[in-house]
Amino acid sequence: EPEVTQTPSHQVTQMGQEVILRCVPISNHLYFYWYRQILGQKVEFLVSFYNNEISEKSEIFDDQFSVERPDGSNFTLKIRSTKLEDSAMYFCASSVTRGETQYFGPGTRLLVL
Amino acid sequence: QKEVEQNSGPLSVPEGAIASLNCTYSDRGSQSFFWYRQYSGKSPELIMFIYSNGDKEDGRFTAQLNKASQYVSLLIRDSQPSDSATYLCAAQLPNTGNQFYFGTGTSLTVIP
């Protein structure tokens, strides 16, 4: 069964550094998403992406964040100048089309020191 | 205001019993609702979705939706210890694009 994959599974970085989180959505899916879950808190929407552009973004997704689909398979989330409060689990998800079920990847646990 | 509320629990049920998980939402524009299961440290895993009023059954799981009361629930019959997890309710609002709004989740423990 096709799955969303994410790399790395864990990332430790120093405050102020840039990180890139990678995702490979399910191959026939057209919509891609990033969510964040701070430990013990709810899953929060960051951004959705369709047809090589951002479809929607939340208040969390400020200028520090960017997304890109650099090739036909990868979908990345870049966090510039990381802050302590960026420490969280970051989930990538994808769906066949708008409004359909979103399937989540295993997540990348980011720790900013 | 787009809020999804869940009782955080913990909810404990004996093995074989029915577990009832509840979720309310504030935005009447919400159209689709999803139940995900999340084991500690893992990603959300889809259980089922519902978008029509009434009940929807899938194996041991039944989702119930009442749009007039802005209420959605998940029943787990014949609960198993492997069902012990956090259950996330998510609402999808078409007017806001495609994002899901998640509740904080209800922690369920099934006692053998």
Side-chain angles (χ1 to χ4, degrees), chain A residues 33 35 37 56 99 101-102 105, chain B residues 36 38 43 46 96-99:
Chain A
Y33 315 85
Y35 288 83
Q37 187 175 31
E56 187 178 358
T101 300
Q102 296 179 20
Chain B
Y36 286 86
Q38 187 176 31
S43 63
L46 178 74
T96 62
N98 211 17
Q99 62 177 284

Side-chain angles (χ1 to χ4, degrees), chain A residues 31 33 35 37 42-43 45 48 56-58 89 91 95 97-107 109, chain B residues 3-5 32 34 36 38 41-46 49 88 92 94-104:
Chain A
Y31 282 82
Y33 315 85
Y35 288 83
Q37 187 175 31
K42 66 173 67 176
V43 176
F45 170 80
S48 62
E56 187 178 358
K57 59 183 180 180
S58 71
M89 182 76 96
F91 293 111
S95 64
T97 187
R98 184 185 178 99
E100 295 292 322
T101 300
Q102 296 179 20
Y103 293 91
F104 284 73
R109 186 174 296 282
Chain B
E3 294 289 336
V4 175
E5 300 288 341
S32 301
F34 299 79
Y36 286 86
Q38 187 176 31
K42 302 296 185 182
S43 63
E45 173 191 9
L46 178 74
F49 63 89
L88 308 178
Q92 191 255 332
N95 293 333
T96 62
N98 211 17
Q99 62 177 284
F100 282 10
Y101 291 89
F102 281 87
T104 53

Side-chain angles (χ1 to χ4, degrees), chain A residues 9-24:
Chain A
S9 58
H10 294 77
Q11 175 89 50
V12 180
T13 189
Q14 295 291 323
M15 188 171 56
Q17 296 297 303
E18 174 182 288
V19 295
I20 297 177
L21 310 182
R22 291 181 168 79
C23 168
V24 179

Side-chain angles (χ1 to χ4, degrees), chain A residues 4 23-35 45 47-56 69 73 75 92-105, chain B residues 92 94 96-100:
Chain A
V4 177
C23 168
V24 179
I26 296 173
S27 62
N28 65 330
H29 287 190
L30 301 179
Y31 282 82
F32 315 127
Y33 315 85
W34 284 102
Y35 288 83
F45 170 80
V47 65
S48 62
F49 191 85
Y50 170 71
N51 199 26
N52 282 319
E53 61 183 25
I54 291 175
S55 175
E56 187 178 358
R69 187 159 165 83
S73 60
F75 177 51
C92 173
S94 68
S95 64
V96 173
T97 187
R98 184 185 178 99
E100 295 292 322
T101 300
Q102 296 179 20
Y103 293 91
F104 284 73
Chain B
Q92 191 255 332
T96 62
N98 211 17
Q99 62 177 284
F100 282 10

Side-chain angles (χ1 to χ4, degrees), chain A residues 53-109:
Chain A
E53 61 183 25
I54 291 175
S55 175
E56 187 178 358
K57 59 183 180 180
S58 71
E59 296 170 348
I60 303 169
F61 193 88
D62 59 21
D63 293 343
Q64 181 194 9
F65 295 90
S66 63
V67 289
E68 189 179 31
R69 187 159 165 83
D71 54 44
S73 60
N74 288 285
F75 177 51
T76 63
L77 174 68
K78 181 187 292 186
I79 309 175
R80 288 182 283 274
S81 188
T82 49
K83 297 176 276 194
L84 296 177
E85 54 265 38
D86 293 328
S87 295
M89 182 76 96
Y90 288 82
F91 293 111
C92 173
S94 68
S95 64
V96 173
T97 187
R98 184 185 178 99
E100 295 292 322
T101 300
Q102 296 179 20
Y103 293 91
F104 284 73
T108 294
R109 186 174 296 282

